[in-house]
Each structure stands twice: as structure tokens, then as C-alpha cells.
Amino acid sequence: MERTPARRRSSAKPMKLNYRMLLCIAVLAFFLLALLFFILFLSRGGKIDELNKQVETLNGEKASLSEQVNTLTQDNQTMLAGLTAALPDPTTAQTDDLTALIPQLTEGVYVVRSTGSQYQYLSVPTGYLQDKLTAYRDNAEGYSVVEGDAPACTCWVLFPDRVIGLAEGDKGFVSMDRAATGSATTVPSGMYAFVASFFA
């Protein structure tokens, strides 16, 4: 009988962990992560500095624009004062009835003021003053219906197609049939002061 060959004993030895190598790999990985975070920190720091410079530049431009706006506002007020000062003296109406005066003033644009006992009016010349009044007239957002009766107006703007009554506090009325009164409404901010300046 043939003998069955004996099983060969395994000559492989169990693997021993090389802790020194693992430690080196861990240190290398930590170093790489630290380097990556350092690069990201430098990159973000550079972006922050750049953003801060942009903010400083924008703040400087904002201050410069504010100065320009103030200068232009002052120039505009000076020009406006000069234009209104050059207007002729207002004409005193021969009637103390506004409903009788309005139909008499149809050619062009007029501003009217009540002195309490009589009415004064001026014909607004074409140009800046009339254009500004037209801009107020066409500023649809400045007009909205207000509850209650129309306020007691002291100034009026007479356009060929409508009458706008003005009272302090940006209140007034708009009459599309050129009547002397109408439903209460707001008026664009600054319009009352602008019209009053014609009679200053």
C-alpha cells in the first residue's frame, strides 16, 4: 500500500505590525493636513484683506459721491433761488373768488397763492421751472387718495388740463376738470415748498 503523503506544515510566519512605519505614516498624514489647512488659511486671509481693501475703496467712493451730491444740491438750490428771484412780481387778481380766477388763466402754466384776503398769480416761464412743475404733476407715485375732505389749500398750480391744490404737509387735491377743489389726496414731497418759493 502507498502511503498518503503527510501534510506539509505551513512555513508562513504571522505578520508583525511595523509600528514605527505606521507612526511615520500618521506623522506624514498629519503634516500634510496641517500644511493644507495652513495654505487654506493663507488663501482665506488674502481674500479677507482683498475684501477689506474693496470695502475701504467703496467707503471712499461713497464719501466722494455724498460730497458731490451735497455740492449739486447746493448748486441746484442756488440756481432755483436765482430763477425764482428773476421772476416778475406776482399779479394781484381782481377777484377774490378762485372759481372765477381759474377760467381766466388758461394759456400756459400758472401758480396761484392765497394771501388770506386776495389771490396772487404768476405765469411760469418755459424752461427749468415749468419742467420741474411738470415732473411733479407726472409723479404718479406721489398722489394717493386720502380719506376726508380736501384740505384748505394756500397754493395752486394751474395746468391746461388740471388744477392741483397744495397745502402744507404734502396734502392737496387734483381736479381734472380745472375746478377749485376736489377729492383729498397726497401730493409729491417738496411740491408745496417749491410752489411757495415763487412768491418768496
Side-chain angles (χ1 to χ4, degrees):
M1 285 180 72
E2 296 182 1
R3 290 185 179 180
T4 305
R7 293 182 181 177
R8 295 180 181 177
R9 294 182 180 178
S10 175
S11 60
K13 296 180 179 180
M15 275 186 66
K16 291 184 179 179
L17 293 176
N18 191 334
Y19 293 105
R20 183 175 296 176
M21 181 179 293
L22 290 176
L23 181 61
C24 290
I25 293 173
V27 170
L28 180 61
F30 177 79
F31 175 76
L32 290 176
L33 287 174
L35 181 62
L36 177 62
F37 281 116
F38 180 72
I39 293 172
L40 289 175
F41 176 79
L42 290 179
S43 175
R44 176 158 300 198
K47 290 180 180 179
I48 291 174
D49 290 339
E50 183 180 351
L51 289 174
N52 287 335
K53 291 179 181 178
Q54 291 180 2
V55 169
E56 290 177 2
T57 301
L58 290 174
N59 286 335
E61 292 177 353
K62 179 183 177 181
S64 177
L65 287 174
S66 295
E67 292 178 2
Q68 293 179 21
V69 168
N70 290 335
T71 300
L72 289 173
T73 300
Q74 292 175 357
D75 291 345
N76 182 61
Q77 291 174 346
T78 301
M79 179 189 69
L80 179 60
L83 289 173
T84 54
L87 290 171
D89 292 335
T91 301
T92 299
Q94 298 300 312
T95 176
D96 58 0
D97 183 3
L98 185 62
T99 59
L101 177 62
I102 291 175
Q104 300 175 26
L105 308 176
T106 56
E107 298 297 326
V109 178
Y110 290 84
V111 288
V112 178
R113 177 185 69 163
S114 171
T115 64
S117 59
Q118 57 189 1
Y119 293 100
Q120 294 179 330
Y121 63 88
L122 277 167
S123 175
V124 182
T126 57
Y128 177 80
L129 296 177
Q130 193 172 128
D131 291 344
K132 191 169 179 67
L133 284 174
T134 301
Y136 277 125
R137 179 197 67 187
D138 297 339
N139 180 13
E141 293 181 357
Y143 298 92
S144 58
V145 176
V146 178
E147 293 184 2
D149 298 330
C153 297
T154 54
C155 293
W156 297 261
V157 184
L158 279 54
F159 293 99
D161 64 336
R162 73 192 70 181
V163 169
I164 300 176
L166 303 169
E168 292 185 7
D170 297 331
K171 298 292 190 300
F173 70 87
V174 178
S175 172
M176 300 305 292
D177 56 1
R178 299 189 94 240
T181 187
S183 300
T185 182
T186 61
V187 296
S189 178
M191 188 176 184
Y192 175 85
F194 178 63
V195 173
S197 70
F198 282 71
F199 302 94

